[in-house]
Amino acid sequence: MSADPPQRAVEVRRSARRRRTVSAYREGDRTVVLIPARMSEAEEQRWVGVMLDKLAAQESKRTLGDAELTERAERLSEQYFDGRARPRSVRWVTNQNTRWGSCTPAEGSIRLSHRLQGMPEYVVDYVLLHELAHLLVPGHGPRFWELLEAYPRTERARGYLEGVVAAERLPKVPTAREE
């Protein structure tokens, strides 16, 4: 198996003038996170994670076409499954509102919900890997989950998706216009 793609270096810059806001931007091959000087180490770590996710989501707003999605699936299969998972088709669909993706192993087809578009890349990669794993192991037994253990962000991606589902279930608070 090949290693993960190299991670960008993160530089945290503390400012005594900055009181409450946190911001981040890409600068060449690194990410700069600006935080208030008074922030604790734990808060710094939490905010760096939040800002990295936010930047990744902004960068993935550009919708991948089906051809790019197929290329991505092929790269992920190569990286995590030694190229053994070979889908015949990978595409976005708009009729999956209760699941993130689906796979028909007999046809070699993978479909991802359009709701994933704009989510961080590691989340889309996790769902793609999940469906690719179904080409090798149809159910959700121990062998299936062993395959996904190779992806280091599995737990984080699952947590992200669980958070999205939980947020969708929250009661809608009326805005000032709707009242």
Side-chain angles (χ1 to χ4, degrees), residues 5-11 25-32 48 52 55-56 59 121 153:
Q7 298 292 319
R8 290 179 190 252
V10 177
E11 178 184 334
Y25 60 91
R26 303 286 192 206
E27 187 176 80
D29 62 346
R30 66 187 163 155
T31 303
V32 178
V48 165
L52 289 175
L55 282 174
E59 291 167 351
E121 285 184 17
R153 300 187 92 181

Side-chain angles (χ1 to χ4, degrees), residues 16-65:
R17 291 185 3 206
R18 188 175 283 268
R19 297 280 178 227
R20 289 181 289 219
T21 61
V22 176
S23 61
Y25 60 91
R26 303 286 192 206
E27 187 176 80
D29 62 346
R30 66 187 163 155
T31 303
V32 178
V33 181
L34 306 170
I35 64 172
R38 63 172 174 72
M39 213 174 253
S40 71
E41 285 292 319
E43 288 175 307
E44 175 184 317
Q45 286 180 354
R46 185 178 76 79
W47 274 107
V48 165
V50 166
M51 298 311 290
L52 289 175
D53 286 348
K54 194 173 187 177
L55 282 174
Q58 288 170 354
E59 291 167 351
S60 68
K61 289 277 190 232
R62 184 180 77 81
T63 304
L64 295 174

Side-chain angles (χ1 to χ4, degrees), residues 103-106 130-141 143-144 147:
C103 174
T104 307
H130 183 106
E131 302 311 330
L132 285 165
H134 281 306
L135 294 175
L136 304 173
V137 179
H140 287 107
R143 275 191 48 225
F144 174 83
L147 284 173

Side-chain angles (χ1 to χ4, degrees), residues 66 69-70 73-74 77 81 85-93 96 100-105 107-113 116 124 127-136:
D66 289 349
L69 202 56
T70 300
E74 289 169 357
S77 174
F81 304 142
R86 294 190 181 105
R88 287 192 201 110
S89 71
V90 183
R91 61 190 175 95
W92 295 108
V93 294
Q96 287 188 12
W100 298 112
S102 61
C103 174
T104 307
E107 296 173 8
S109 63
I110 292 175
R111 294 157 307 283
L112 296 188
S113 172
L116 289 166
V124 176
V127 176
L128 265 174
L129 279 165
H130 183 106
E131 302 311 330
L132 285 165
H134 281 306
L135 294 175
L136 304 173

